[in-house]
Amino acid sequence: MKKIVIVGQGGHSKVIKDIIIASKEYQIYALLDDKYDKPTQKDKIIYAPISYANVLCSEKEIYFNIAIGDNSVRKKVGKMLDDIGVQFAILKHPTAVISPSVEIGRGSVIMPNCVVNADTVIGEHVIINSSSVIEHDNQINGYVHISPKAVLTGNVYVGEGTQIGAGATVIPNIKIGDWSMVGAGATVVSDIPSKVTVVGVPAKIIT
């Protein structure tokens, strides 16, 4: 069984741990977070600050996953880990239904009861959260977070770092820019530019 290091010890990491246990592909080797002052070990698991990744990445067959829900923080940590050359694990809960034609970028996570349909492309370090539906031919760029029960219908483009809120729906052929926020329960019926927040039915820009 391959070893995995979980980076981040907030609420999101609890779900990541459950996915790792359910998938039976990896064994948790270390938990990294800056709340730990120095490396310690308990029950064969290493607890250490994030900087300890420099030590761990020198070992063979160790994979990392960034268990941080905040998109901008996840990108910052991802770039730091890239600089030291770690390998990233793709995590998929066994209850997720994923078409064999889907492309999934390194470090991305697909959570319980998700559906990801044909020819969707998912970038690196993306979170597809519980019970969301990603229909065919979507392009989801890096560091996006699709929140629980959100629905992306066909041919939707989601720019880097954007968050799609819980229960939101995006109709077909929509383009959403980089680092935007779609509010919970919103229905997106027209293109959205970068770095804005939209809410409502239909979704409208508020900031």
Side-chain angles (χ1 to χ4, degrees), residues 71-72 74 141-145 158-163 177-180:
N71 296 347
S72 60
R74 195 163 65 259
N141 286 286
Y143 304 99
V144 165
H145 188 159
V158 183
E160 180 184 271
T162 283
Q163 177 123 8
D178 300 335
W179 299 99
S180 285

Side-chain angles (χ1 to χ4, degrees), residues 108-189:
S108 289
V109 179
I110 300 180
M111 294 194 173
N113 302 310
C114 292
V115 176
V116 186
N117 279 331
D119 294 325
T120 284
V121 177
I122 297 171
E124 63 181 13
H125 303 292
V126 170
I127 299 169
I128 308 294
N129 220 316
S130 303
S131 298
S132 54
V133 176
I134 312 299
E135 274 298 340
H136 62 89
D137 297 295
N138 288 284
Q139 181 173 337
I140 302 171
N141 286 286
Y143 304 99
V144 165
H145 188 159
I146 308 295
S147 299
K149 295 188 176 181
V151 177
L152 303 186
T153 55
N155 293 292
V156 172
Y157 175 97
V158 183
E160 180 184 271
T162 283
Q163 177 123 8
I164 308 295
T169 300
V170 184
I171 70 166
N173 305 307
I174 293 294
K175 182 175 181 179
I176 301 174
D178 300 335
W179 299 99
S180 285
M181 167 70 76
V182 175
T187 299
V188 179
V189 299

Side-chain angles (χ1 to χ4, degrees), residues 23-110:
S23 67
K24 300 179 181 178
E25 185 177 358
Y26 297 95
Q27 174 187 357
I28 297 173
Y29 183 62
L31 305 175
L32 304 186
D33 194 284
D34 285 342
K35 69 181 181 181
Y36 305 122
D37 296 327
K38 59 184 180 179
T40 59
Q41 190 166 6
K42 181 181 179 182
D43 299 328
K44 299 182 179 180
I45 295 176
I46 298 167
Y47 297 81
I50 294 174
S51 59
Y52 196 68
N54 283 291
V55 176
L56 296 175
C57 73
S58 64
E59 300 184 35
K60 294 181 179 179
E61 296 301 315
I62 291 184
Y63 294 80
F64 286 69
N65 190 271
I66 306 171
I68 298 172
D70 183 290
N71 296 347
S72 60
V73 176
R74 195 163 65 259
K75 182 173 183 178
K76 180 180 178 181
V77 173
K79 289 193 172 297
M80 183 272 286
L81 295 174
D82 266 340
D83 288 344
I84 62 174
V86 309
Q87 300 181 85
F88 290 103
I90 296 170
L91 299 179
K92 298 173 282 187
H93 194 278
T95 62
V97 178
I98 304 169
S99 168
S101 63
V102 170
E103 297 179 22
I104 305 173
R106 63 200 185 118
S108 289
V109 179
I110 300 180

